[in-house]
Amino acid sequence: MSILNVEHLSHGFGDRAIFEDVSFRLLKGEHIGLVGANGEGKSTFMSIITDKLVPDEGKIEWAKNVRVGYLDQHTVLEKNQSIRDVLKGAFSFLFDMEKDMNAICDDLGSGALSDEEMAEKMEELGTIQELLLSHDFYMIDAKVEEIARAFELDELGLDRDVSELSGGQRTKVLLAKLLLEKPDILLLDEPTNYLDVQHIEWLKRYLLDYENAFILISHDIPFLNSVVNLIYHMENKRLDRYVGDYDKFQEVYAAKKSQLEAAYRRQQQEIAELEDFVARNKARVSTRNMAMSRQKKLDKMERIELTREKPKPEFRFKEARTSGKLIFETKELVIGYEEPLSRPIDLRMERGERLVLKGANGIGKTTLLKTILGKIPALSGSVELGDYLFPGYFEQEVQASSNTCIEELWEEFPSFTQYECRAALAKCGLTTKNIESQVRVLSGGEQAKLRLCKLMNRESNVLFLDEPTNHLDVDAKEALLTALRAYKGSLLLICHEPEFYEALSPRVIDCSEWSLRV
């Protein structure tokens, strides 16, 4: 049974086409991975099928009465809302029914209705009461508390303001709300970004047992491989279907690409031979007919076009002079904002070390990093920084500006020429269109590449990287890993992808050892 039909979809931004004549069908029970490089339009596709964007052309048709649950990587939680409020928002349609029921009861008690109107209202009241009971309306609080325990949100306090939460905690709240809604189809845009290993495993088990259909955008390859049975690959304004997991897709895609390149070479050779024959024989009376026949063949030939290769990023961090032996040392350091997040922390990092901070969301990894850098004050204890430090900092979340990419880089490096700016951005995998676009309209991965471009063009001898792989596509992750392996400075990394950080041979610090949030 078809849940969603997309026919002849075309869409673009300005003169940049994202899709051209794309068709797509989602069937019951399909577990789809939507993949492609940063900026190919995966999130745009999700926005179109959920009516957040109107396509330039095409038809989007959902089956009747299908309830869609959408986890959007850009969702913003409003200030002055508690975690409980957000979770209960999953049942907003039931609370609306309750309001209708109370209004009917007020009408019935007014004494102003005729017998016929009373009968109609009583019937409507009975229908609403049945619906509320069938949806377990009177057990909402218990359901909210149950899902909160599963995601450890109860430990944060359900009355806590959502504006105070970390990126991972917000993701968990949105996921919990989505699962409470029990939609007929899940649309998940980068759900593992900001999630810790424990909750990625929880989500993996949930999706493996999920009976309904889902569409998943993710650059986390092990996660994709474990939960999907179909891949839709987005590339050069097309959407192609592959049966199997991501590894199977890679295998088939490579074979198709190789076959196409071989066919292209054969056709180019045939075209060259035909064109040569026509050029040599069209003027002769005796061979003119044969030349015209060859020309007709050329004119009718369906030309094979190779997919234009996307620029692959190449990162290389500029290195400053060697630092002193000590990078930093904390003594009896207590971190937090109004309330402490940690027990006293004693941590030392020396020149050349590669340190990884791991642990559940919200236990203070980012807070520790910001405290070490002096961006927020310690609640107590001390941080000593070493001599001759030239730190580079990649922040987990940054508000996107209205500047274009090139303007953004120029503000950071005013001595660069326009050519140097464009070359630096292109080296990070950004196209001419990206470079001339406003930062706020770029995808999460494209924005991350811009921020990495700023970081790598400023000399450093120690890098502080807070979840740098979030939003990056496979090629960009590989390029970043290569650059970090080659970097001779020191490294402090927060990352939730073991397959990424383990390749750096780091010293791994489990932050749960000192966190008060565990």
Side-chain angles (χ1 to χ4, degrees), residues 368-431:
L368 173 60
L369 193 152
K370 286 183 174 180
T371 306
I372 290 168
L373 287 168
K375 294 186 177 295
I376 56 175
L379 294 185
S380 64
S382 65
V383 177
E384 180 189 352
L385 296 177
D387 297 325
Y388 310 115
L389 290 188
F390 294 87
Y393 176 40
F394 184 94
E395 200 168 353
Q396 186 182 124
E397 295 179 57
V398 175
Q399 185 69 38
S401 76
S402 296
N403 287 341
T404 63
C405 269
I406 195 164
E407 288 169 344
E408 192 84 359
L409 194 63
W410 240 328
E411 279 189 9
E412 195 91 3
F413 302 100
S415 64
F416 277 18
T417 64
Q418 181 172 144
Y419 173 79
E420 286 173 325
C421 275
R422 287 180 177 273
L425 291 164
K427 198 171 185 180
C428 292
L430 294 167
T431 64

Side-chain angles (χ1 to χ4, degrees), residues 451-474:
R451 290 159 57 203
L452 283 168
C453 184
K454 290 181 185 180
L455 185 61
M456 70 185 227
N457 280 286
R458 191 171 294 285
E459 290 185 353
S460 67
N461 53 24
V462 55
L463 291 175
F464 294 88
L465 307 181
D466 193 353
E467 299 284 11
T469 60
N470 282 353
H471 305 298
L472 289 184
D473 56 39
V474 176

Side-chain angles (χ1 to χ4, degrees), residues 1-6 24 26 45-46 48-51 59-69 184-187 213 215:
M1 177 185 162
S2 180
I3 299 170
L4 169 65
N5 276 314
V6 176
F24 170 88
L26 176 67
F45 182 78
M46 290 286 216
I48 287 172
I49 64 175
T50 53
D51 292 331
K59 185 172 77 170
I60 292 91
E61 189 174 25
W62 288 94
K64 286 184 180 178
N65 302 318
V66 168
R67 293 180 64 238
V68 179
D184 301 306
I185 172 174
L186 286 173
L187 305 177
I215 302 175

Side-chain angles (χ1 to χ4, degrees), residues 16 39 73-74 400-401 403-405 430-431 433-450:
R16 180 190 175 198
Q73 60 172 292
H74 303 298
S401 76
N403 287 341
T404 63
C405 269
L430 294 167
T431 64
K433 293 287 185 189
N434 298 150
I435 291 167
E436 295 169 356
S437 296
Q438 290 183 337
V439 177
R440 62 186 177 85
V441 304
L442 299 180
S443 71
E446 289 163 341
Q447 290 182 28
K449 288 172 185 174
L450 168 63

